[in-house]
Amino acid sequence: MAKKILIFFGAPGSGKGTQSDLLANKTKLTKITTGDLLRSEVAAGSVLGKKAKGYMQKGVLVPDSLIKDMILKRLESASKSGYIFDGYPRNLKQLEDLEEIFAKIVKKNDLVYGIEVAVSDSEVKRRLGGRRACVCGAVYHLKYNPPKKTGKCDVCGKKLFIRKDDKPKVISNRLKVYHNESEPVLDYFRKGGNLIKINGEQSIAKIHRDIMGKLKKLAIVK
Ligand code: AMP
């Protein structure tokens, strides 16, 4: 059976993480999220985590060679039916690395598509700028999901804070990185005719329906 490889693109805060989760649940493809893999390395205090932490806090990309090794390791235990990438490849060098990896594992009939969850910069700033977090793991949004008491967590009552990578300066950096480094990768898929573009400024359910509709048309999902 043809392997399916779906690669999600979208600015930080575009909702591509939520959408790729929904798709992974439906399709049983292995989801590979570099941001999550890196965050767990940081939390575990591993050698990789220690190297990655500073870059992540500034909102710039972690060096490509570290990411490539991490992807290769993750692919060892991935499903044979295919994968969903979320957050990789993020620049042209990573695309080159991925092509090198694909040369070994992708067959002629396999289906490789990019999925772009498109949102404007102003929407990203609204979404991420209003986000508040708690040490217990709960996440709020000042406008869309506010806590019952201003500045306090509903779950544990602790004071809410702004994650380092949600500070305005870091959000701008992450957007700059997306436009300068990740969009050329999108162009590559667009020119190859295998990019699916979805309007990300809709409800979560509607975005999911749009993605499923396009994938069904391409016979990627049933
Ligand atoms: P994300 O949760 O996808 O926004 O990722 C959070 C941070 O992890 C990014 O700002 C980068 O510092 C780092 N990161 C995630 N994926 C990659 C990648 N493919 N290449 C380099 N750095 C990455």
Side-chain angles (χ1 to χ4, degrees):
M1 214 176 62
K3 219 195 276 81
K4 287 143 195 155
I5 300 170
L6 302 171
I7 305 175
F8 271 81
F9 295 98
S14 61
K16 70 177 163 38
T18 306
Q19 293 301 329
S20 48
D21 274 345
L22 290 171
L23 190 61
N25 283 338
K26 278 245 169 89
T27 57
K28 306 290 172 233
L29 300 173
T30 298
K31 188 180 159 187
I32 302 177
T33 310
T34 45
D36 285 350
L37 291 173
L38 288 166
R39 277 183 285 275
S40 43
E41 296 285 344
V42 172
S46 69
V47 176
L48 169 59
K50 283 188 183 126
K51 285 185 188 158
K53 193 173 175 181
Y55 298 99
M56 295 172 75
Q57 286 185 341
K58 286 194 210 99
V60 297
L61 295 183
V62 171
D64 300 326
S65 58
L66 297 180
I67 302 289
K68 186 182 180 189
D69 291 346
M70 197 173 76
I71 293 283
L72 282 170
K73 198 167 139 212
R74 183 64 188 89
L75 281 172
E76 283 169 13
S77 59
S79 151
K80 295 279 173 283
S81 53
Y83 338 104
I84 295 173
F85 285 100
D86 170 12
Y88 181 85
R90 281 274 237 281
N91 60 22
L92 289 174
K93 172 68 178 85
Q94 292 185 9
L95 176 65
E96 212 180 278
D97 289 343
L98 188 63
E99 289 196 310
E100 193 188 308
I101 297 171
F102 278 0
K104 292 190 194 120
I105 59 172
V106 173
K107 308 240 160 50
K108 213 170 134 221
N109 293 337
D110 291 348
L111 298 162
V112 183
Y113 275 87
I115 301 175
E116 178 189 5
V117 182
V119 294
S120 63
D121 284 9
S122 52
E123 176 66 10
V124 166
K125 286 179 185 161
R126 252 195 308 278
R127 289 184 189 178
L128 296 186
R131 198 153 73 168
R132 296 294 179 270
C134 178
V135 280
C136 77
V139 181
Y140 302 87
H141 190 282
L142 295 181
K143 184 161 169 226
Y144 308 118
N145 174 30
K148 293 197 183 82
K149 277 195 201 152
T150 309
K152 294 263 159 56
C153 179
D154 292 351
V155 183
C156 68
K158 293 215 173 90
K159 198 168 168 239
L160 301 180
F161 62 92
I162 304 177
R163 264 173 41 178
K164 274 207 173 108
D165 60 351
D166 285 343
K167 303 239 163 145
K169 173 84 182 60
V170 181
I171 295 175
S172 305
N173 259 346
R174 292 167 73 196
L175 275 171
K176 220 185 285 167
V177 167
Y178 182 70
H179 293 308
N180 294 343
E181 302 195 39
S182 306
E183 275 180 355
V185 183
L186 266 180
D187 283 342
Y188 172 85
F189 280 87
R190 195 175 292 122
K191 282 182 193 141
N194 47 355
L195 181 70
I196 297 167
K197 185 171 177 175
I198 304 286
N199 174 8
E201 296 191 20
Q202 311 181 89
S203 70
I204 291 174
K206 173 71 168 63
I207 299 170
H208 178 62
R209 275 203 303 279
D210 285 1
I211 293 174
M212 293 301 288
K214 297 219 172 165
L215 293 179
K216 273 180 196 157
K217 270 196 192 143
L218 292 163
I220 295 174
V221 297
K222 287 202 189 107

